[in-house]
Structures are given as C-alpha cells and as structure tokens.
C-alpha cells in the first residue's frame, strides 16, 4: 500500500484500491471529482483488495 494512505482510514484504503485497480480516476479538470471508469468487476476487485490490505495489517483483529 502507498506510504501516503492511512490504513486506519477506510475511505483512504478504498480510494487507493479503486484507483490502483483503475475502477476510478481523478478528474483532470477538478481535483475534488472522482470519475468511475471501470466496470463492476473492477469495483469488486478493488473491494477485495481493500479488505485484504486491512486483514494483512499486523494490528488487525477479527
């Protein structure tokens, strides 16, 4: 996971997973707008990846 992603912030983890699986991207014209570019499979992959990243943390409980 990227060094500038806070693993305790679920929205950061999900955003990182969505961007790295190319399910979403930042709008080139508006910094605060996220564009969906992938399909449902990309979003599902991002969800699984975010879940795995959180479970792989040494302080994960459960």
């Amino acid at each position: 996971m990227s060094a500038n992603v806070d693993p305790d912030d679920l929205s950061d983890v999900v955003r990182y997973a969505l961007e790295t699986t190319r399910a979403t991207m930042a709008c080139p014209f508006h910094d605060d707008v996220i564009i969906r570019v992938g399909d449902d499979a990309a979003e599902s992959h991002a969800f699984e990846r975010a879940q795995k990243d959180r479970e792989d943390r040494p302080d994960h409980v459960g």
Side-chain angles (χ1 to χ4, degrees), residues 23-24 26 29 43 60:
T24 62
F29 306 107
E43 290 177 7
H60 175 74

Side-chain angles (χ1 to χ4, degrees), residues 17-26 34-46:
L18 287 168
E19 287 176 3
T20 57
T21 57
R22 292 183 173 69
T24 62
M25 66 177 281
I34 296 174
I35 302 169
R36 180 179 185 218
V37 292
D39 55 11
D40 290 337
E43 290 177 7
S44 296
H45 178 80

Side-chain angles (χ1 to χ4, degrees), residues 14-62:
V14 171
R15 187 176 303 115
Y16 175 76
L18 287 168
E19 287 176 3
T20 57
T21 57
R22 292 183 173 69
T24 62
M25 66 177 281
C27 176
F29 306 107
H30 306 93
D31 293 337
D32 59 342
V33 175
I34 296 174
I35 302 169
R36 180 179 185 218
V37 292
D39 55 11
D40 290 337
E43 290 177 7
S44 296
H45 178 80
F47 175 78
E48 294 296 326
R49 185 172 174 180
Q51 203 171 26
K52 182 180 179 331
D53 285 347
R54 287 181 60 86
E55 290 173 355
D56 287 347
R57 291 182 37 210
D59 62 340
H60 175 74
V61 176

